[in-house]
Amino acid sequence: MSVFEKVCTLLSSLEKEGKIRSEEYELCEKYSLARLTSFKTGGVATVLFPETLSVAAAIYPLLKKEDIPIFVLGNGSNVIARDEGYDGLILSLIRLKKTQVSDVCITAESGALLTTVATLAQRNALTGMEALYGIPGTVGGAVFMNAGAYGTECRDVLAFVNCITSSGEFKTYSVDELALGYRTSRFEESDDLILSATFRLKKGKAEEIRAAMDDFMARRVEKQPLEYPSAGSTFKRYEGRFTAQLIDENGLKGYRHGGAMVSEKHAGFVINYDHATSSDIFAVIEKVQETIFESEGIRIQREVRIIE
């Protein structure tokens, strides 16, 4: 039985039990991963789009129990999908976008865009998320990797996270329980599925918050190759050294393989310059890593994750 057929069977059983309705999800076979990732590359996979948190929470433990390979995907802004596709289920949470404001707190479902939440904060005169405005990921992805920019990280404004475990138990973790570090969290070693997150902010002035957001976005536009498909910063920061500077100093800015290239605007970005394949992108990443190690003795690590 194929992954698609197995998931169909599980969803049908949940419908018969009255736990979900057919209009609360969409299941697609052989769906192009290029449509779901910011690199715009990759093969096909079976993709499940829950429309509600209840569907995600109901199906997730069953998928784990049946040992169906799962890759949880948000906005696809920090991942690479292989050209061969993925022989498992992509659980896309991108349609789980509900948000709620309560005093100085904002609760957002895992598929809500971080930029949307930052904009909501500004409209409610809540400060703290200005530097996160413009990060293209979802709330779930931001929590998973403790996303950050310009001196602010997710953990600086996060209050708690709601999850469901692989056994179907709902759990709430405070920010102090999440082991949030530089581009890492407890979720890297956990099977818990992030359902929503609550951010605790501070009262501010809407016009000042808007001005700060616009300033951060202007810096991004000026320094980052936003006009090309990419996954943002391709490599993690190396302690004591700027990775982009290392790449530039080793003459790799503008290095190309097929349609992929080290950005000439910002050496920390590998971009889909001209109809690249995922294999092209991997080749550029490996070239950068090998060159830096041979020259500097430094092993720089990917920040982007591989769907596998």
Side-chain angles (χ1 to χ4, degrees):
M1 189 181 294
S2 69
V3 168
F4 178 79
E5 291 169 331
K6 289 178 181 178
V7 178
C8 274
T9 300
L10 293 177
L11 291 167
S12 295
S13 67
L14 287 171
E15 285 185 50
K16 290 177 182 178
E17 294 170 11
K19 294 181 179 179
I20 65 172
R21 302 190 308 274
S22 60
E23 61 268 27
E24 291 183 307
Y25 68 86
E26 181 181 6
L27 180 64
C28 302
E29 187 178 18
K30 297 181 180 179
Y31 194 92
S32 172
L33 295 176
R35 296 175 59 186
L36 295 177
T37 59
S38 58
F39 260 128
K40 306 300 181 187
T41 63
V44 300
T46 296
V47 182
L48 175 62
F49 296 95
E51 302 281 352
T52 64
L53 285 181
S54 58
V55 170
I59 190 66
Y60 184 68
L62 295 181
L63 295 169
K64 300 300 288 187
K65 184 178 180 180
E66 293 296 321
D67 204 25
I68 295 173
I70 307 170
F71 191 95
V72 179
L73 194 63
N75 201 37
S77 58
N78 195 51
V79 299
I80 305 174
R82 294 191 183 278
D83 295 322
E84 301 81 11
Y86 178 63
D87 190 22
L89 176 71
I90 299 293
L91 181 60
S92 174
L93 305 183
I94 196 63
R95 299 181 186 178
L96 306 180
K97 298 180 177 182
K98 290 182 181 178
T99 57
Q100 182 177 358
V101 181
S102 178
D103 193 25
V104 296
C105 292
I106 296 179
T107 298
E109 293 181 347
S110 57
L113 294 176
L114 198 60
T115 286
T116 298
V117 179
T119 300
L120 182 62
Q122 184 272 330
R123 290 175 180 168
N124 286 272
L126 297 175
T127 183
M129 299 191 73
E130 292 88 328
L132 304 180
Y133 176 71
I135 293 177
T138 59
V139 165
V143 171
F144 185 93
M145 66 174 293
N146 188 29
Y150 301 110
T152 297
E153 292 181 319
C154 196
R155 64 180 170 185
D156 298 325
V157 290
L158 194 62
F160 56 86
V161 176
N162 292 312
C163 309
I164 187 165
T165 69
S166 58
S167 61
E169 180 183 0
F170 288 96
K171 284 194 172 184
T172 298
Y173 297 104
S174 70
V175 63
D176 294 332
E177 296 175 295
L178 296 177
L180 296 170
Y182 174 62
R183 303 300 177 264
T184 187
S185 73
R186 75 180 304 278
F187 296 107
E188 288 190 323
E189 305 297 331
S190 165
D191 276 341
D192 295 346
L193 178 68
I194 299 169
L195 297 176
S196 66
T198 296
F199 301 90
R200 183 175 290 115
L201 307 172
K202 297 179 180 179
K203 290 287 187 181
K205 295 182 178 180
E207 62 275 14
E208 293 179 359
I209 297 169
R210 180 75 258 177
M213 289 164 61
D214 290 343
D215 177 62
F216 285 123
M217 180 56 75
R219 293 194 221 177
R220 285 190 171 90
V221 171
E222 177 186 2
K223 297 180 180 180
Q224 299 176 8
L226 302 182
E227 64 272 28
Y228 293 103
S230 78
S233 296
T234 308
F235 305 97
K236 291 184 178 181
R237 182 177 65 231
Y238 187 80
E239 188 174 353
R241 302 287 297 274
F242 289 106
T243 305
Q245 184 178 354
L246 282 173
I247 296 169
D248 192 6
E249 289 174 351
N250 279 272
L252 291 168
K253 184 180 280 189
Y255 172 80
R256 290 184 62 176
H257 184 284
M261 181 173 77
V262 176
S263 170
E264 295 178 317
K265 192 173 186 179
H266 190 309
F269 284 60
V270 174
I271 60 174
N272 183 345
Y273 180 73
D274 183 19
H275 300 93
T277 63
S278 295
S279 295
D280 292 337
I281 296 166
F282 285 125
V284 172
I285 290 173
E286 289 168 6
K287 174 67 174 180
V288 169
Q289 291 175 317
E290 291 171 1
T291 301
I292 299 301
F293 180 69
E294 291 173 2
S295 173
E296 310 283 343
I298 294 172
R299 295 189 184 278
I300 59 173
Q301 298 180 328
R302 280 183 291 102
E303 184 171 309
V304 294
R305 300 171 65 223
I306 302 172
I307 298 178
E308 58 183 359

Coordinates of all heavy atoms in Angstrom, one line a residue, residues 70-114:
I70 N 7.1 11.1 8.1 CA 6.4 12.4 8.0 C 7.5 13.5 8.0 O 8.5 13.5 8.8 CB 5.5 12.7 9.3 CG1 4.5 11.5 9.5 CG2 4.8 14.0 9.2 CD1 3.8 11.6 10.8
F71 N 7.3 14.5 7.2 CA 8.0 15.8 7.3 C 7.0 16.9 7.5 O 6.2 17.1 6.6 CB 8.9 16.0 6.0 CG 9.9 17.1 6.2 CD1 11.2 16.8 6.6 CD2 9.5 18.4 6.0 CE1 12.1 17.8 6.7 CE2 10.4 19.4 6.2 CZ 11.8 19.1 6.6
V72 N 7.1 17.6 8.6 CA 6.2 18.7 8.9 C 6.8 20.0 8.2 O 7.9 20.3 8.4 CB 6.1 18.9 10.4 CG1 5.1 20.1 10.7 CG2 5.6 17.6 11.1
L73 N 5.9 20.6 7.5 CA 6.3 21.7 6.7 C 5.5 23.0 7.0 O 4.2 22.8 7.1 CB 6.2 21.4 5.2 CG 6.9 22.3 4.2 CD1 8.4 22.3 4.4 CD2 6.6 21.9 2.7
G74 N 6.1 24.1 7.1 CA 5.4 25.4 7.2 C 5.4 26.1 5.9 O 4.8 25.6 4.9
N75 N 6.1 27.2 5.8 CA 6.1 28.0 4.6 C 7.2 27.5 3.7 O 7.4 28.1 2.6 CB 6.3 29.5 4.9 CG 5.9 30.4 3.8 OD1 4.9 30.1 3.1 ND2 6.6 31.5 3.6
G76 N 8.0 26.5 4.1 CA 9.0 26.0 3.2 C 10.2 26.9 2.9 O 10.9 26.8 1.9
S77 N 10.4 27.9 3.9 CA 11.4 28.9 3.6 C 12.7 28.6 4.2 O 13.7 29.4 4.0 CB 10.9 30.2 4.3 OG 10.6 30.1 5.6
N78 N 12.9 27.4 4.8 CA 14.2 27.1 5.3 C 14.5 25.6 5.0 O 15.2 24.9 5.8 CB 14.3 27.3 6.8 CG 15.7 27.3 7.4 OD1 16.6 28.0 6.8 ND2 15.9 26.6 8.4
V79 N 14.1 25.1 3.9 CA 14.2 23.7 3.5 C 14.6 23.6 2.1 O 14.4 24.5 1.3 CB 13.0 22.9 3.8 CG1 12.6 22.9 5.2 CG2 11.8 23.4 2.9
I80 N 15.2 22.4 1.8 CA 15.5 22.0 0.4 C 14.8 20.7 0.2 O 14.9 19.7 0.9 CB 17.0 21.8 0.1 CG1 17.7 23.1 0.5 CG2 17.2 21.5 -1.4 CD1 19.2 22.9 0.4
A81 N 14.0 20.6 -0.9 CA 13.4 19.3 -1.3 C 14.2 18.7 -2.4 O 14.6 19.3 -3.4 CB 12.0 19.6 -1.8
R82 N 14.5 17.4 -2.2 CA 15.3 16.7 -3.2 C 14.6 16.6 -4.6 O 13.4 16.5 -4.6 CB 15.7 15.3 -2.7 CG 16.7 15.4 -1.5 CD 17.2 14.0 -1.2 NE 18.1 14.0 0.0 CZ 19.3 14.4 0.0 NH1 19.9 14.8 -1.1 NH2 20.0 14.3 1.1
D83 N 15.4 16.5 -5.6 CA 14.8 16.4 -7.0 C 14.0 15.1 -7.1 O 13.0 15.0 -7.9 CB 15.9 16.4 -8.0 CG 16.6 17.8 -8.1 OD1 15.9 18.8 -8.0 OD2 17.8 17.8 -8.3
E84 N 14.4 14.1 -6.3 CA 13.7 12.8 -6.3 C 12.4 12.8 -5.6 O 11.6 11.8 -5.6 CB 14.6 11.7 -5.7 CG 15.9 11.5 -6.4 CD 17.0 12.5 -6.0 OE1 16.7 13.3 -5.0 OE2 18.0 12.6 -6.7
G85 N 12.1 13.9 -4.9 CA 10.9 14.0 -4.1 C 11.0 13.4 -2.8 O 12.2 13.2 -2.3
Y86 N 9.9 13.1 -2.1 CA 10.0 12.5 -0.7 C 9.0 11.3 -0.7 O 7.8 11.4 -1.0 CB 9.5 13.6 0.2 CG 9.4 13.2 1.7 CD1 10.6 12.8 2.4 CD2 8.2 13.2 2.4 CE1 10.5 12.4 3.7 CE2 8.2 12.8 3.7 CZ 9.3 12.4 4.3 OH 9.2 12.0 5.7
D87 N 9.6 10.2 -0.2 CA 8.8 9.0 -0.2 C 8.1 8.8 1.2 O 8.4 7.9 1.9 CB 9.7 7.8 -0.4 CG 8.9 6.5 -0.6 OD1 7.7 6.6 -0.9 OD2 9.5 5.4 -0.4
G88 N 7.3 9.8 1.5 CA 6.6 9.8 2.8 C 5.5 10.8 2.7 O 5.1 11.2 1.6
L89 N 5.0 11.3 3.9 CA 4.0 12.3 3.9 C 4.5 13.6 4.3 O 5.2 13.8 5.3 CB 2.9 11.9 4.9 CG 1.7 12.9 5.0 CD1 0.9 13.0 3.8 CD2 0.9 12.6 6.2
I90 N 4.2 14.6 3.5 CA 4.4 16.0 3.9 C 3.2 16.5 4.6 O 2.1 16.5 4.0 CB 4.7 16.9 2.6 CG1 6.0 16.5 1.9 CG2 4.8 18.4 3.1 CD1 7.3 16.6 2.6
L91 N 3.3 16.8 5.9 CA 2.2 17.4 6.6 C 2.4 18.9 6.6 O 3.2 19.5 7.3 CB 2.3 16.9 8.1 CG 1.2 17.3 9.0 CD1 -0.2 16.9 8.5 CD2 1.4 16.8 10.4
S92 N 1.7 19.6 5.7 CA 1.8 21.0 5.5 C 0.8 21.7 6.4 O -0.4 21.5 6.3 CB 1.5 21.4 4.1 OG 1.5 22.8 3.9
L93 N 1.3 22.6 7.3 CA 0.5 23.3 8.3 C 0.2 24.7 7.8 O -0.3 25.5 8.6 CB 1.2 23.3 9.7 CG 1.5 21.9 10.2 CD1 2.1 22.1 11.6 CD2 0.3 21.0 10.3
I94 N 0.5 25.0 6.6 CA 0.4 26.4 6.1 C -1.0 27.0 6.1 O -1.1 28.2 6.1 CB 1.0 26.5 4.7 CG1 1.3 27.9 4.3 CG2 0.1 25.8 3.7 CD1 2.4 28.6 5.1
R95 N -2.0 26.1 6.2 CA -3.4 26.7 6.2 C -3.9 26.9 7.6 O -5.0 27.4 7.8 CB -4.3 25.7 5.5 CG -3.9 25.6 4.0 CD -4.9 24.7 3.3 NE -4.4 24.4 1.9 CZ -5.0 23.7 1.0 NH1 -6.1 23.0 1.3 NH2 -4.5 23.5 -0.2
L96 N -3.1 26.6 8.6 CA -3.5 26.8 10.0 C -3.0 28.2 10.4 O -1.9 28.4 10.9 CB -2.9 25.8 10.9 CG -3.2 24.3 10.5 CD1 -2.5 23.3 11.5 CD2 -4.7 24.1 10.5
K97 N -3.8 29.3 10.2 CA -3.4 30.6 10.3 C -4.1 31.5 11.3 O -3.8 32.7 11.4 CB -3.5 31.3 8.9 CG -2.7 30.6 7.8 CD -3.0 31.4 6.5 CE -2.1 30.8 5.4 NZ -2.3 31.5 4.1
K98 N -4.9 30.9 12.1 CA -5.7 31.8 13.0 C -4.8 32.4 14.1 O -3.9 31.9 14.6 CB -6.8 30.9 13.7 CG -7.9 30.5 12.8 CD -8.9 29.7 13.6 CE -10.1 29.2 12.6 NZ -11.1 28.4 13.3
T99 N -5.2 33.7 14.4 CA -4.5 34.4 15.5 C -5.5 35.1 16.4 O -6.7 35.3 16.1 CB -3.6 35.6 14.8 OG1 -4.5 36.4 14.0 CG2 -2.5 35.0 13.9
Q100 N -5.0 35.4 17.6 CA -5.9 36.0 18.6 C -5.1 36.9 19.5 O -4.0 36.5 19.9 CB -6.6 34.9 19.5 CG -7.5 35.5 20.5 CD -8.3 34.4 21.3 OE1 -8.1 33.2 21.0 NE2 -9.1 34.8 22.2
V101 N -5.6 38.1 19.7 CA -4.9 39.1 20.6 C -5.6 39.2 21.9 O -6.8 39.3 22.0 CB -4.8 40.5 19.9 CG1 -4.1 41.4 20.8 CG2 -4.2 40.4 18.6
S102 N -4.9 39.1 23.0 CA -5.4 39.2 24.4 C -4.5 40.1 25.2 O -3.4 39.6 25.6 CB -5.7 37.9 25.0 OG -6.2 38.0 26.3
D103 N -4.8 41.3 25.5 CA -4.0 42.3 26.2 C -2.6 42.4 25.5 O -2.6 42.8 24.4 CB -3.8 41.8 27.6 CG -3.2 42.9 28.5 OD1 -3.4 44.1 28.2 OD2 -2.6 42.5 29.6
V104 N -1.5 42.0 26.1 CA -0.2 42.1 25.5 C 0.3 40.8 24.9 O 1.4 40.6 24.5 CB 0.9 42.6 26.5 CG1 0.5 44.0 27.0 CG2 1.0 41.6 27.6
C105 N -0.6 39.8 24.7 CA -0.3 38.5 24.2 C -1.0 38.3 22.9 O -2.1 38.6 22.6 CB -0.6 37.4 25.2 SG 0.4 37.4 26.7
I106 N -0.2 37.6 22.0 CA -0.8 37.1 20.7 C -0.6 35.6 20.6 O 0.5 35.1 20.7 CB -0.1 37.8 19.5 CG1 -0.4 39.3 19.5 CG2 -0.6 37.2 18.2 CD1 0.3 40.1 18.4
T107 N -1.7 34.9 20.3 CA -1.6 33.5 20.1 C -1.8 33.2 18.7 O -2.8 33.8 18.1 CB -2.7 32.7 21.0 OG1 -2.4 33.0 22.4 CG2 -2.6 31.2 20.7
A108 N -1.0 32.4 18.1 CA -1.1 32.2 16.6 C -0.9 30.7 16.4 O -0.1 30.0 17.0 CB 0.0 32.9 15.9
E109 N -1.7 30.2 15.4 CA -1.6 28.8 15.0 C -0.2 28.6 14.3 O 0.3 29.6 13.8 CB -2.7 28.4 14.1 CG -4.0 28.3 14.9 CD -5.2 27.9 14.0 OE1 -5.1 27.8 12.8 OE2 -6.3 27.6 14.6
S110 N 0.3 27.4 14.2 CA 1.6 27.1 13.7 C 1.8 27.5 12.3 O 3.0 27.8 11.9 CB 2.0 25.7 13.9 OG 1.0 24.8 13.3
G111 N 0.8 27.6 11.5 CA 0.9 27.9 10.1 C 0.9 29.4 9.8 O 1.1 29.9 8.6
A112 N 0.6 30.2 10.8 CA 0.5 31.7 10.6 C 1.9 32.2 10.3 O 2.9 31.8 10.9 CB 0.0 32.4 11.8
L113 N 2.0 33.1 9.3 CA 3.3 33.7 9.0 C 3.8 34.6 10.1 O 3.1 35.4 10.7 CB 3.3 34.5 7.7 CG 3.0 33.6 6.4 CD1 2.9 34.6 5.2 CD2 4.1 32.6 6.2
L114 N 5.1 34.5 10.4 CA 5.7 35.3 11.5 C 5.5 36.8 11.2 O 5.2 37.6 12.1 CB 7.2 35.0 11.6 CG 7.9 35.4 12.9 CD1 7.2 34.8 14.1 CD2 9.3 35.1 12.9

